[in-house]
Amino acid sequence: MLIDRLGRKIEYLRISVTDRCNFRCIYCQSRESFKFLPHSEILTYEEIEEIVRVACELGVKRVRITGGEPLVRKDIEVLIERLSKIPGIEDLSLTTNGYFLLEKAEILKRAGLKRLNISLDTLNPEKFIKITGGFDFHKVWLGILKAFELGFEPLKLNMVVIRGFNDDEILSLAKLTLEYPWEVRFIEFMPIGKNDLWRDELVIPVKEIKDLLETYFPLEEVASFGGGPAKVFKWKGAKGRIGFISPVSEHFCSRCNRLRITPDGRLRPCLFSDKEINLKEYLRNKNRDLREAFYLAMSLKPEKRELKNTKREMRAIGG
Ligand code: SAM
Ligand code: SF4
């Protein structure tokens, strides 16, 4: 069992399998300092499998694959298939920008992937180009429909809301839940990495977003899947749900049930803290027990997050 000194039980592992990404989202990475980890530094699939196996022995039940963009890593379905067979895993999910879903959704489903979260910050193709650094909205939209058709459920869409940039689309994104049984989630813009865009005034607190949506129709609270950080609501009669994630305005640290692993094999107890444990030292030394690294992470998990720019970029932590 992984229980930290504050009694928080850790059951959820997020693994960033690459810091590389085809997109260049304005809120995720600084355009100047663009440097990728060398391939030799990245954990192999065998190493990730071993880490997950040990984590599951210690009580982890849910695993999410993220990045960077996980679908740019070669043969990602091979990893999914291996992880899906590890005893103890109850939920295996992946977060993606959706660009390669048209090609990859079916193969991922067959490999044993259960759920998908897809980033979608706008429904406007021109704005999509500006946010992502030049990519085609329609391809992502078709990928989302494909994933839906294949039965990935619940399908979650994540929108990072930035004041003056895409806040005029909050209602249109939320209205997707009238037509589709998806969970549309609004996320506050966080100051991760050397983010040169982030400023306090660009953050829209989720309370403001919720108030705006309630002027359209009152929202009713519903239970969230897996007790995660999102507070989830729905409009009466809607097919889908609306989630709010408030890392900036209202931290959810007392409910935190997760650990993160970076592409270069650092176990990270908190998204906002640069304290990390080098798992490669455990993996590559037969005298060291990987379980000790997880126990150490329990003692390093802070009581609550300190909101500050981290040394690593979001793509090299795994959002
Ligand atoms: N490439 C994949 C994607 O975009 O879904 C997975 C990795 S991405 C780093 C994971 C999540 O982090 C995405 O939902 C993205 O919107 C979110 N994210 C990235 N930078 C963020 C920031 N500064 N504030 C809030 N969320 C952020
Ligand atoms: Fe890439 Fe995801 Fe970051 Fe966008 S949010 S740049 S898609 S890692």
Side-chain angles (χ1 to χ4, degrees), residues 3-242:
I3 299 179
D4 78 355
R5 62 210 154 89
L6 299 165
R8 291 172 296 191
K9 198 168 161 192
I10 305 303
E11 295 185 324
Y12 182 27
L13 194 60
R14 294 175 73 102
I15 307 170
S16 173
V17 293
T18 177
D19 62 335
R20 287 166 201 253
C21 186
N22 47 334
F23 284 15
R24 299 282 178 271
C25 296
I26 48 164
Y27 53 74
C28 179
Q29 31 193 290
S30 69
R31 275 148 212 261
E32 284 78 43
S33 63
F34 216 77
K35 231 171 104 195
F36 292 122
L37 290 161
H39 283 297
S40 58
E41 291 283 314
I42 304 286
L43 288 179
T44 63
Y45 287 167
E46 287 72 22
E47 287 171 327
I48 296 175
E49 189 182 354
E50 191 177 339
I51 292 167
V52 174
R53 200 173 288 283
V54 169
C56 288
E57 281 167 18
L58 294 173
V60 164
K61 296 189 170 72
R62 300 169 53 207
V63 173
R64 172 172 298 277
I65 301 301
T66 179
E69 173 48 43
L71 301 191
V72 302
R73 182 142 177 198
K74 195 166 176 288
D75 302 329
I76 187 69
E77 61 279 7
V78 172
L79 178 70
I80 298 290
E81 189 166 0
R82 286 188 187 183
L83 298 187
S84 71
K85 292 186 179 137
I86 293 179
I89 289 203
E90 291 173 9
D91 182 44
L92 181 58
S93 59
L94 181 140
T95 301
T96 172
N97 62 31
Y99 196 74
F100 295 112
L101 274 181
L102 256 188
E103 298 90 331
K104 284 271 189 178
E106 201 160 347
I107 205 166
L108 290 169
K109 183 86 183 165
R110 246 185 285 129
L113 187 70
K114 299 245 172 45
R115 295 192 302 115
L116 274 171
N117 284 13
I118 305 161
S119 298
L120 192 72
D121 305 303
T122 174
L123 296 170
N124 175 334
E126 274 162 34
K127 203 177 279 181
F128 194 86
I129 289 176
K130 280 196 195 135
I131 292 182
T132 60
F135 288 82
D136 178 18
F137 166 80
H138 297 101
K139 180 159 159 49
V140 171
W141 181 251
L142 290 175
I144 294 171
L145 293 179
K146 175 86 182 173
F148 177 47
E149 184 191 301
L150 287 167
F152 282 104
E153 209 188 338
L155 198 69
K156 296 185 183 176
L157 302 186
N158 292 338
M159 177 193 196
V160 177
V161 188
I162 302 177
R163 196 182 297 282
F165 194 72
N166 60 354
D167 50 338
D168 55 333
E169 289 191 73
I170 292 170
L171 190 57
S172 346
L173 260 295
K175 279 186 176 173
L176 290 175
T177 67
L178 300 177
E179 200 177 335
Y180 300 101
W182 301 342
E183 186 170 308
V184 173
R185 311 193 318 163
F186 298 98
I187 305 175
E188 289 171 350
F189 182 23
M190 296 184 272
I192 301 280
K194 300 173 210 69
N195 197 309
D196 29 31
L197 178 72
W198 195 88
R199 273 178 290 124
D200 207 21
E201 41 304 2
L202 297 184
V203 180
I204 307 200
V206 295
K207 181 173 180 320
E208 197 178 319
I209 302 173
K210 182 165 173 279
D211 287 349
L212 172 89
L213 295 178
E214 292 217 292
T215 59
Y216 175 70
F217 207 74
L219 287 162
E220 297 169 355
E221 189 156 6
V222 291
S224 81
F225 179 86
K231 289 209 170 130
V232 189
F233 295 78
K234 83 184 281 205
W235 278 318
K236 200 170 181 177
K239 293 186 179 155
R241 298 140 47 104
I242 297 173

